[in-house]
Protein backbone atom coordinates (compact mmCIF):
# COMPACT_ATOMS: atom_id res chain seq x y z
CA UNK A 1 0.00 0.00 0.00
CA UNK A 2 1.30 3.48 -0.90
CA UNK A 3 1.94 5.98 1.88
CA UNK A 4 0.31 8.75 -0.18
CA UNK A 5 -1.96 8.39 -3.20
CA UNK A 6 -3.39 11.22 -5.29
CA UNK A 7 -6.37 10.02 -7.29
CA UNK A 8 -8.03 11.79 -10.21
CA UNK A 9 -7.51 15.30 -8.86
CA UNK A 10 -9.12 18.07 -10.88
CA UNK A 11 -9.16 21.74 -9.94
CA UNK A 12 -10.46 24.81 -11.74
CA UNK A 13 -10.47 28.32 -10.32
CA UNK A 14 -13.37 30.58 -11.29
CA UNK A 15 -13.20 34.37 -11.13
CA UNK A 16 -16.16 36.36 -12.40
CA UNK A 17 -16.93 34.87 -15.81
CA UNK A 18 -13.56 33.25 -16.49
CA UNK A 19 -12.27 29.81 -15.61
CA UNK A 20 -8.67 28.75 -15.02
CA UNK A 21 -8.15 24.97 -15.20
CA UNK A 22 -5.20 24.10 -12.93
CA UNK A 23 -5.19 20.32 -12.40
CA UNK A 24 -6.57 17.75 -14.83
CA UNK A 25 -7.21 14.19 -13.60
CA UNK A 26 -3.86 13.99 -11.81
CA UNK A 27 -2.77 10.62 -10.41
CA UNK A 28 0.40 9.49 -8.63
CA UNK A 29 1.54 7.68 -5.49
CA UNK A 30 4.46 7.69 -3.06
CA UNK A 31 5.71 4.71 -1.08
CA UNK A 32 6.69 4.75 2.57
CA UNK A 33 10.07 6.42 3.12
CA UNK A 34 10.43 7.60 -0.48
CA UNK A 35 11.91 10.95 -1.43
CA UNK A 36 9.97 12.19 -4.45
CA UNK A 37 10.43 15.41 -6.43
CA UNK A 38 7.86 17.22 -8.56
CA UNK A 39 9.04 19.10 -11.66
CA UNK A 40 6.89 21.13 -14.01
CA UNK A 41 6.62 24.49 -15.74
CA UNK A 42 6.14 27.54 -13.55
CA UNK A 43 2.45 28.10 -12.84
CA UNK A 44 1.38 24.57 -13.73
CA UNK A 45 -0.36 23.99 -10.40
CA UNK A 46 2.27 22.41 -8.14
CA UNK A 47 1.55 24.68 -5.15
CA UNK A 48 -2.19 24.21 -5.68
CA UNK A 49 -1.58 20.46 -5.53
CA UNK A 50 0.22 20.86 -2.20
CA UNK A 51 -2.62 22.95 -0.83
CA UNK A 52 -5.04 20.16 -1.74
CA UNK A 53 -2.87 17.39 -0.30
CA UNK A 54 -2.40 19.32 2.95
CA UNK A 55 -6.14 19.98 3.26
CA UNK A 56 -6.00 23.75 2.79
CA UNK A 57 -7.99 23.53 -0.44
CA UNK A 58 -10.74 21.15 -1.51
CA UNK A 59 -10.44 19.71 -5.05
CA UNK A 60 -13.29 19.94 -7.51
CA UNK A 61 -13.04 16.18 -8.00
CA UNK A 62 -10.67 13.44 -6.87
CA UNK A 63 -9.27 12.19 -3.60
CA UNK A 64 -6.13 12.17 -1.47
CA UNK A 65 -5.37 8.96 0.45
CA UNK A 66 -2.86 8.51 3.27
CA UNK A 67 -2.12 4.92 4.29
CA UNK A 68 -5.24 3.84 2.40
CA UNK A 69 -7.47 6.34 4.22
CA UNK A 70 -9.24 9.16 2.41
CA UNK A 71 -8.11 12.42 4.03
CA UNK A 72 -9.54 15.23 1.88
CA UNK A 73 -9.65 18.36 4.04
CA UNK A 74 -7.54 17.02 6.91
CA UNK A 75 -4.77 19.54 7.64
CA UNK A 76 -3.11 17.63 10.50
CA UNK A 77 -1.39 14.79 8.65
CA UNK A 78 1.54 16.64 7.07
CA UNK A 79 4.39 18.97 7.88
CA UNK A 80 4.13 21.59 5.12
CA UNK A 81 6.90 24.05 4.36
CA UNK A 82 5.68 26.71 1.95
CA UNK A 83 7.77 28.96 -0.30
CA UNK A 84 7.49 31.88 2.15
CA UNK A 85 8.91 31.26 5.60
CA UNK A 86 5.75 32.57 7.37
CA UNK A 87 7.65 33.10 10.63
CA UNK A 88 5.78 34.96 13.37
CA UNK A 89 7.57 38.32 13.77
CA UNK A 90 6.78 38.65 17.48
CA UNK A 91 8.37 35.30 18.35
CA UNK A 92 12.08 34.58 18.68
CA UNK A 93 13.72 31.95 16.48
CA UNK A 94 13.44 29.36 19.25
CA UNK A 95 9.79 30.11 19.94
CA UNK A 96 9.01 30.01 16.21
CA UNK A 97 10.44 26.52 15.80
CA UNK A 98 8.60 25.29 18.90
CA UNK A 99 5.15 26.04 17.46
CA UNK A 100 4.58 22.41 16.44
CA UNK A 101 5.40 20.88 19.82
CA UNK A 102 3.29 23.57 21.53
CA UNK A 103 0.27 22.84 19.34
CA UNK A 104 0.66 19.11 19.90
CA UNK A 105 1.03 19.48 23.67
CA UNK A 106 4.52 17.99 23.88
CA UNK A 107 6.82 18.61 26.86
CA UNK A 108 8.72 21.75 25.86
CA UNK A 109 11.94 20.89 27.72
CA UNK A 110 12.53 17.89 25.45
CA UNK A 111 11.44 19.85 22.37
CA UNK A 112 13.81 22.72 23.20
CA UNK A 113 16.77 20.34 23.33
CA UNK A 114 15.97 18.95 19.88
CA UNK A 115 15.22 22.45 18.54
CA UNK A 116 18.63 23.74 19.60
CA UNK A 117 20.33 20.69 18.08
CA UNK A 118 18.55 21.27 14.77
CA UNK A 119 19.33 24.99 14.79
CA UNK A 120 23.00 24.18 15.33
CA UNK A 121 22.88 21.59 12.54
CA UNK A 122 21.56 24.25 10.16
CA UNK A 123 24.12 26.88 11.13
CA UNK A 124 21.84 28.91 13.39
CA UNK A 125 23.51 28.41 16.76
CA UNK A 126 23.55 31.70 18.66
CA UNK A 127 20.41 33.02 16.96
CA UNK A 128 17.89 31.27 19.21
CA UNK A 129 16.81 34.56 20.82
CA UNK A 130 16.87 36.64 17.62
CA UNK A 131 13.70 37.79 15.88
CA UNK A 132 12.87 37.10 12.22
CA UNK A 133 13.45 40.73 11.20
CA UNK A 134 17.06 40.38 12.36
CA UNK A 135 17.76 37.45 10.02
CA UNK A 136 18.60 37.24 6.33
CA UNK A 137 16.14 35.59 3.97
CA UNK A 138 18.22 32.43 3.82
CA UNK A 139 18.44 32.22 7.59
CA UNK A 140 14.68 32.65 7.91
CA UNK A 141 14.17 29.79 5.46
CA UNK A 142 16.45 27.57 7.55
CA UNK A 143 14.41 28.43 10.65
CA UNK A 144 11.28 27.47 8.72
CA UNK A 145 12.82 24.10 7.88
CA UNK A 146 13.59 23.42 11.55
CA UNK A 147 10.02 24.38 12.46
CA UNK A 148 8.72 21.96 9.81
CA UNK A 149 10.87 19.10 11.11
CA UNK A 150 9.73 19.68 14.70
CA UNK A 151 6.14 18.98 13.72
CA UNK A 152 7.43 15.37 13.57
CA UNK A 153 5.07 14.22 10.85
CA UNK A 154 5.76 11.10 8.82
CA UNK A 155 5.26 12.95 5.54
CA UNK A 156 6.92 16.25 4.62
CA UNK A 157 5.65 18.59 1.91
CA UNK A 158 8.47 20.93 0.85
CA UNK A 159 7.57 23.68 -1.61
CA UNK A 160 10.87 25.00 -3.03
CA UNK A 161 12.48 25.14 0.43
CA UNK A 162 15.87 26.30 -0.87
CA UNK A 163 14.79 28.56 -3.73
CA UNK A 164 15.76 31.75 -1.86
CA UNK A 165 19.25 30.55 -0.93
CA UNK A 166 22.52 31.26 -2.69
CA UNK A 167 24.07 28.36 -4.61
CA UNK A 168 26.67 27.47 -1.97
CA UNK A 169 24.22 27.54 0.94
CA UNK A 170 21.68 25.59 -1.11
CA UNK A 171 24.24 22.82 -1.70
CA UNK A 172 24.94 22.58 2.03
CA UNK A 173 21.22 22.55 2.85
CA UNK A 174 20.57 19.78 0.34
CA UNK A 175 23.21 17.65 2.04
CA UNK A 176 21.76 18.38 5.48
CA UNK A 177 18.25 17.52 4.31
CA UNK A 178 19.48 14.19 2.95
CA UNK A 179 21.18 13.44 6.27
CA UNK A 180 17.98 14.24 8.18
CA UNK A 181 15.94 12.11 5.78
CA UNK A 182 18.39 9.20 6.12
CA UNK A 183 18.04 9.38 9.93
CA UNK A 184 14.24 9.29 10.11
CA UNK A 185 13.25 7.94 6.66
CA UNK A 186 10.26 10.24 6.52
CA UNK A 187 8.33 10.30 3.28
CA UNK A 188 9.16 13.51 1.40
CA UNK A 189 7.42 15.23 -1.51
CA UNK A 190 9.51 18.12 -2.83
CA UNK A 191 8.54 20.83 -5.33
CA UNK A 192 11.55 22.29 -7.11
CA UNK A 193 12.35 24.13 -10.33
CA UNK A 194 15.96 22.98 -10.10
CA UNK A 195 16.47 19.81 -12.15
CA UNK A 196 19.86 19.13 -10.57
CA UNK A 197 18.37 19.47 -7.08
CA UNK A 198 15.69 16.91 -7.96
CA UNK A 199 18.31 14.53 -9.36
CA UNK A 200 20.61 14.89 -6.34
CA UNK A 201 17.87 14.33 -3.76
CA UNK A 202 15.03 12.19 -5.09
CA UNK A 203 14.35 8.47 -5.46
CA UNK A 204 12.06 9.34 -8.34
CA UNK A 205 10.80 12.41 -10.14
CA UNK A 206 7.28 13.11 -11.35
CA UNK A 207 7.16 15.49 -14.30
CA UNK A 208 3.95 17.47 -14.69
CA UNK A 209 2.58 19.00 -17.87
CA UNK A 210 1.84 22.66 -18.45
CA UNK A 211 -1.39 23.91 -16.89
CA UNK A 212 -3.77 22.22 -16.39
CA UNK A 213 -1.28 19.81 -14.87
CA UNK A 214 -1.49 16.09 -15.35
CA UNK A 215 1.24 13.49 -15.01
CA UNK A 216 3.60 13.50 -18.00
CA UNK A 217 6.30 11.09 -16.82
CA UNK A 218 7.63 9.12 -13.85
CA UNK A 219 11.43 9.06 -13.85
CA UNK A 220 13.16 6.75 -11.34
CA UNK A 221 16.64 7.76 -10.16
CA UNK A 222 18.43 4.43 -9.52
CA UNK A 223 21.71 6.03 -8.45
CA UNK A 224 23.43 5.61 -5.08
CA UNK A 225 23.82 8.60 -2.78
CA UNK A 226 25.70 10.87 -2.44
CA UNK A 227 25.40 11.89 -6.10
CA UNK A 228 27.56 14.17 -8.18
CA UNK A 229 26.32 16.49 -10.92
CA UNK A 230 29.30 15.42 -13.08
CA UNK A 231 28.30 11.74 -13.01
CA UNK A 232 27.56 10.58 -16.58
CA UNK A 233 24.39 8.71 -15.52
CA UNK A 234 23.05 11.82 -13.81
CA UNK A 235 23.91 13.97 -16.82
CA UNK A 236 22.00 11.56 -19.06
CA UNK A 237 18.94 11.74 -16.79
CA UNK A 238 19.19 15.53 -16.74
CA UNK A 239 19.14 15.54 -20.52
CA UNK A 240 16.00 13.39 -20.55
CA UNK A 241 14.26 15.67 -18.04
CA UNK A 242 15.25 18.78 -19.99
CA UNK A 243 13.73 17.29 -23.12
CA UNK A 244 10.46 16.52 -21.30
CA UNK A 245 10.24 20.00 -19.76
CA UNK A 246 11.22 21.68 -23.01
CA UNK A 247 8.04 20.43 -24.64
CA UNK A 248 5.89 21.69 -21.77
CA UNK A 249 7.59 25.08 -21.62
CA UNK A 250 6.95 25.54 -25.33
CA UNK A 251 3.22 25.21 -24.55
CA UNK A 252 3.48 27.93 -21.90
CA UNK A 253 5.25 30.40 -24.19
CA UNK A 254 3.55 29.35 -27.40
CA UNK A 255 6.83 28.53 -29.14
CA UNK A 256 8.14 25.58 -31.06
CA UNK A 257 10.00 23.22 -28.72
CA UNK A 258 13.20 23.78 -30.72
CA UNK A 259 13.00 27.50 -29.93
CA UNK A 260 12.66 26.95 -26.18
CA UNK A 261 14.88 28.68 -23.67
CA UNK A 262 16.12 25.25 -22.59
CA UNK A 263 19.29 23.97 -24.22
CA UNK A 264 18.78 21.11 -26.62
CA UNK A 265 19.08 17.72 -24.94
CA UNK A 266 21.78 15.52 -26.43
Amino acid sequence: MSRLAVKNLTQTFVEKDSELPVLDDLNFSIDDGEFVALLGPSGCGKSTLFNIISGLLAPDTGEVHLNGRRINGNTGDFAYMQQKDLLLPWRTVLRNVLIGPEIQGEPLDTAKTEAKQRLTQLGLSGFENSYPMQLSGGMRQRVALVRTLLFRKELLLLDEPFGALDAMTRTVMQSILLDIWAEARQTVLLITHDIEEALLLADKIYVLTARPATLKAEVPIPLPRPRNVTDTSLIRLKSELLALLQVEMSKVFGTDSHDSAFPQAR
Side-chain angles (χ1 to χ4, degrees), residues 83-218:
Q83 293 179 42
K84 296 181 179 180
D85 60 72
L86 302 178
L87 300 180
L88 300 179
W90 59 88
R91 281 184 169 235
T92 63
V93 165
L94 184 60
R95 292 193 64 218
N96 260 288
V97 302
L98 289 173
I99 288 175
E102 285 182 22
I103 291 173
Q104 292 159 176
E106 298 180 20
L108 288 188
D109 287 344
T110 302
K112 283 180 182 179
T113 299
E114 182 180 352
K116 290 178 180 179
Q117 291 172 346
R118 291 298 188 194
L119 289 169
T120 298
Q121 186 178 21
L122 274 76
L124 293 165
S125 178
F127 292 92
E128 295 87 352
N129 295 317
S130 299
Y131 288 88
M133 65 177 294
Q134 298 172 302
L135 306 180
S136 69
M139 293 171 73
R140 290 167 62 104
Q141 201 70 355
R142 281 181 273 162
V143 174
L145 178 58
V146 175
R147 180 185 58 192
T148 303
L149 294 171
L150 286 178
F151 271 91
R152 297 192 184 90
K153 299 297 182 179
E154 294 182 359
L155 203 152
L156 304 182
L157 302 176
L158 306 178
D159 189 351
E160 294 194 77
F162 309 138
L165 304 180
D166 62 86
M168 186 174 295
T169 305
R170 185 164 61 245
T171 299
V172 173
M173 291 296 296
Q174 290 166 354
S175 178
I176 291 173
L177 178 59
L178 275 181
D179 289 343
I180 292 170
W181 172 76
E183 290 171 13
R185 284 291 172 176
Q186 292 165 293
T187 306
V188 178
L189 183 57
L190 167 76
I191 289 175
T192 178
H193 284 101
D194 187 330
I195 295 175
E196 286 188 355
E197 180 171 76
L199 287 167
L200 290 171
L201 297 178
D203 294 308
K204 68 182 176 187
I205 298 172
Y206 285 126
V207 180
L208 303 183
T209 65
R211 191 179 64 239
T214 192
L215 185 63
K216 182 179 181 71
E218 176 182 337

